[in-house]
Amino acid sequence: MSEITKTDVVIIGAGPVGLFAVFELGLYDLKCHLIDILDRPGGQCAELYPEKPIYDIPAWPEISGQGLTDKLMEQIKPFAPQFHFNRMVTRLERQPDGQFHVETDEGEVFETKVVVIAAGGGSFQPKRPPVPGIEAFEGKSVFYSVRRMEEFRDEDVLIVGGGDSALDWALNLQPIARSLTVVHRRAEFRAAPDSVKKMFELVERGSVRFELGQVSGLTGEGGQLSSATIKAAEGETEIPVTRLLPFFGLTMKLGPVADWGLNLHENLVQVNVETFETSEPGIFAIGDINWYPGKLKLILSGFHEAALMTQAAKRIVSPGEKVVFQYTTSSTSLQKKLGVA
Amino acid sequence: MAKITFVTFDGVRIEADAENGSTVMESAIRNAVPGIDAECGGACACATCHVYVDDAWQEVTGEPEAMEEDMLDFAYDVRPSSRLSCQIRVSDELDGLVVHVPERQA
């Protein structure tokens, strides 16, 4: 078992609300670790609309999703938050001493006094293509990412999609695969022009097969694929396939949060509006993932929720200590924490 | 103004009045059409407002632009009539438009 990381607060989700929570918690000396399934901070702002202007952030008449993320990262820098990207929190368990064990899919374990769920619309997960019966092959023959290239050695690999992931893996796996086929629904690719060029060179040499169309059927037994049917304008063809890699982008799913015994309201986490605590003491939920009467899914609402949550979180981490409310404009102690005094 | 009919996957028809200049996706959301998620809120960034334009209307709504075509790669069960409803602008010409909602968005 890996070493246990001890902290005051684990924040699940590094979107704008999770990031701002670091600031509010930091003013009260609470140290944070953030865990996010994406490979960078910003959540939906960074993944879905980095360049899209947002017009309802107070005092910013217009700011892009990426711009907002960058500003928040700058704002929370004094508090040195620790980020853990490309990870999903899979387990959350209360220990006999009242603290929580938070476990990720990479096996890391955190011991924390407070958990803040700021997971927005849920975790980004790969989209499953509309192929009947594909579920039965997942994890054995169908993979949505490449964790170990060796699993593809001497296999008949089929890659579906037209983006960078699809083409990068086609180029990387071609030398070790027995055969490699790329299927895309159109002749244009969304990938780096250089990768597209390289792939078509391989197609020309006969090392990669390219089919215009969609995968319409899979056959195999016991989770082991043996062939796939490709549907194109001119009809269907069946090709031998033992490994399938579909790259259809990401979608948001509530994921493991649903299994933590929290009271839910239509797939959102119910909270107390005074503290933003869930039905489990010590576990908070802020931002788009929570629900309370009158809830609005706005970034600014999430910021407000982060500030109120902090008051309650501080009482849990430092019981008996008086929680003094102060302004950053006038408090020397807050200014010291921010590194400006 | 244009009247738009959304036909859900199980065949329910939902009629909506849409203002010129708005998008077909906005109409779907305002009228709570089931099956249109529009996760990104209309930025052409998520492919979860995917619809099939009725055969009779494909010429009027036209072809998707390059960025929309790229996003359609991520949509579920793409067909020649596929469009992202956030990229179809409402105008008088579209009065009577019929779009079909796919089985699911992702």
Side-chain angles (χ1 to χ4, degrees):
Chain A
M1 191 160 147
S2 59
E3 214 174 288
I4 294 180
T5 307
K6 295 189 177 194
T7 182
D8 295 326
V9 183
V10 165
I11 301 175
I12 304 171
V17 173
L19 295 178
F20 190 65
V22 171
F23 182 85
E24 289 294 326
L25 292 160
L27 291 180
Y28 287 88
D29 301 312
L30 304 188
K31 293 274 166 275
C32 301
H33 283 256
L34 295 99
I35 304 170
D36 199 291
I37 197 152
L38 297 177
D39 60 2
R40 58 195 184 283
Q44 285 183 51
C45 284
E47 179 65 29
L48 288 184
Y49 48 85
E51 285 155 32
K52 183 186 171 192
I54 310 170
Y55 300 103
D56 60 355
I57 304 298
W60 286 96
E62 181 184 336
I63 189 166
S64 68
Q66 190 57 50
L68 180 69
T69 304
D70 294 345
K71 286 285 171 198
L72 283 164
M73 289 298 282
E74 186 187 328
Q75 193 170 21
I76 65 176
K77 212 169 163 210
F79 303 112
Q82 303 283 305
F83 289 95
H84 309 268
F85 293 118
N86 294 312
R87 278 153 178 73
M88 178 158 75
V89 173
T90 46
R91 284 167 75 94
L92 170 57
E93 263 173 17
R94 191 188 294 276
Q95 300 305 112
D97 65 358
Q99 298 206 39
F100 297 96
H101 267 195
V102 175
E103 226 176 287
T104 71
D105 55 352
E106 293 285 321
E108 293 115 326
V109 181
F110 298 83
E111 187 176 282
T112 184
K113 301 181 179 89
V114 164
V115 174
V116 176
I117 305 172
S123 57
F124 281 93
Q125 289 173 19
K127 278 189 193 171
R128 175 185 282 153
V131 184
I134 190 168
E135 294 93 329
F137 299 103
E138 286 171 356
K140 253 188 167 169
S141 307
V142 175
F143 300 92
Y144 293 95
S145 62
V146 178
R147 291 228 163 168
R148 281 184 349 106
M149 279 177 64
E150 277 307 303
E151 279 171 347
F152 298 84
R153 182 176 293 279
D154 301 325
E155 301 283 351
D156 293 310
V157 181
L158 171 58
I159 294 180
V160 192
D164 281 309
S165 315
L167 285 195
D168 287 351
W169 283 118
L171 298 176
N172 282 318
L173 294 177
Q174 183 272 327
I176 63 165
R178 181 164 55 202
S179 73
L180 194 132
T181 309
V182 174
V183 169
H184 184 41
R185 68 176 187 93
R186 57 194 177 113
E188 290 79 39
F189 288 81
R190 302 178 312 280
D194 186 52
S195 313
V196 180
K197 194 171 142 247
K198 277 192 187 137
M199 188 198 75
F200 278 106
E201 280 167 14
L202 290 172
V203 171
E204 213 132 280
R205 264 191 268 148
S207 318
V208 167
R209 173 172 175 172
F210 173 64
E211 296 279 348
L212 203 64
Q214 300 185 37
V215 177
S216 59
L218 299 172
T219 47
E221 252 175 58
Q224 183 51 58
L225 260 183
S226 55
S227 72
T229 309
I230 317 292
K231 198 174 131 195
E234 56 277 9
E236 291 191 330
T237 41
E238 197 171 328
I239 59 167
V241 171
T242 56
R243 291 281 182 273
L244 170 62
L245 277 166
F247 292 110
F248 282 83
L250 302 171
T251 182
M252 286 178 285
K253 294 241 165 70
L254 184 59
V257 175
D259 308 326
W260 297 339
L262 308 173
N263 285 353
L264 299 180
H265 172 94
E266 290 176 2
N267 260 345
L268 297 167
V269 182
Q270 272 191 330
V271 289
N272 165 349
V273 288
E274 196 180 330
T275 56
F276 295 92
E277 204 163 28
T278 67
S279 55
E280 278 296 312
I283 305 179
F284 297 82
I286 56 176
D288 283 1
I289 199 144
N290 76 13
W291 183 86
Y292 50 87
K295 168 71 183 182
L296 286 181
K297 286 189 185 184
L298 289 176
I299 293 172
L300 71 93
S301 307
F303 289 168
H304 157 83
E305 294 161 15
L308 291 197
M309 169 279 291
T310 297
Q311 299 288 315
K314 175 68 178 173
R315 289 189 178 92
I316 292 173
V317 178
S318 318
E321 201 176 296
K322 199 166 173 248
V323 182
V324 186
F325 173 73
Q326 300 175 88
Y327 292 104
T328 55
T329 39
S330 52
S331 157
T332 330
S333 91
L334 292 189
Q335 288 166 358
K336 270 193 191 133
K337 293 172 196 176
L338 291 168
V340 292
Chain B
M1 280 281 273
K3 199 169 273 304
I4 300 173
T5 304
F6 296 91
V7 185
T8 66
F9 184 71
D10 43 19
V12 179
R13 297 174 77 88
I14 299 168
E15 285 200 356
D17 287 319
E19 265 176 53
N20 286 356
S22 69
T23 66
V24 171
M25 178 277 281
E26 289 173 288
S27 250
I29 295 299
R30 218 171 284 146
N31 293 280
V33 174
I36 303 280
D37 299 341
E39 277 172 7
C40 80
C44 196
C46 71
T48 61
C49 65
H50 174 208
V51 294
Y52 305 119
V53 175
D54 196 82
D55 292 346
W57 287 91
Q58 284 168 31
E59 221 164 281
V60 189
T61 52
E63 299 274 314
E65 285 184 21
M67 176 158 108
E68 181 185 347
E69 193 66 78
D70 279 355
M71 279 321 298
L72 276 170
D73 283 351
F74 297 128
Y76 182 87
D77 196 6
V78 179
R79 301 176 194 167
S81 60
S82 289
R83 290 289 311 267
L84 295 183
S85 57
C86 72
Q87 302 301 307
I88 309 176
R89 287 255 170 232
V90 174
S91 65
D92 290 338
E93 273 189 313
L94 291 189
D95 190 28
L97 174 70
V98 179
V99 297
H100 301 263
V101 181
E103 181 185 1
R104 52 198 183 95
Q105 290 291 345

